[in-house]
Amino acid sequence: MNLKRIREKTSILHEKFDEVITSESLTIVDDATTKGSNRARADDEGVPSKRRVLIEKGRVKGFYGDMYNNALYAGKGLRGFASRSSFATPPVPSLSNTLIEVKKEVE
């Protein structure tokens, strides 16, 4: 779901935006505002952190990326996912606190 990989077409998800790819009981979010080791007010490009849905009810709803890759991919990525290992390196797309939510289907 890394936007750089989507843009380069090296991800199997590069043409799957808004398609169902897994069980409809599965939702995956990344939330840098929740308690966790990577909690932050903003990413390393200064984009404010918030809860971001990547897969909702089995459907691809977003990719995570930095400003550069988001601009090249016509804004389909979700900004606020950039980090860097030091000030000497450019920011790259990365996740913070990834949460998997599974809704049990009731019969």
Side-chain angles (χ1 to χ4, degrees):
M1 303 206 74
N2 179 322
L3 189 57
K4 180 179 181 209
R5 303 288 179 241
I6 299 295
R7 184 180 57 77
E8 294 170 344
K9 297 182 180 175
T10 57
S11 169
I12 62 171
L13 299 175
H14 81 274
E15 293 181 332
K16 302 290 184 186
F17 187 76
D18 209 30
E19 288 187 25
V20 175
I21 62 164
T22 188
S23 169
E24 292 181 10
S25 64
L26 180 69
T27 296
I28 299 175
V29 299
D30 193 72
D31 191 350
T33 65
T34 192
K35 290 182 180 179
S37 61
N38 290 324
R39 186 176 188 177
R41 292 179 187 245
D43 74 354
D44 286 348
E45 292 178 308
V47 177
S49 297
K50 63 182 181 180
R51 179 182 169 94
R52 310 214 188 227
V53 178
L54 301 172
I55 295 177
E56 183 175 44
K57 296 180 181 175
R59 184 177 301 273
V60 176
K61 296 310 254 179
F63 307 116
Y64 64 92
D66 55 5
M67 286 184 184
Y68 175 77
N69 285 290
N70 191 60
L72 293 177
Y73 201 67
K76 282 191 180 173
L78 300 172
R79 291 178 39 217
F81 288 99
S83 68
R84 59 176 81 213
S85 56
S86 77
F87 287 108
T89 62
V92 295
S94 64
L95 296 169
S96 58
N97 294 311
T98 306
L99 308 169
I100 297 173
E101 303 170 353
V102 179
K103 305 274 186 202
K104 201 173 205 181
E105 294 184 27
V106 180
E107 295 184 30

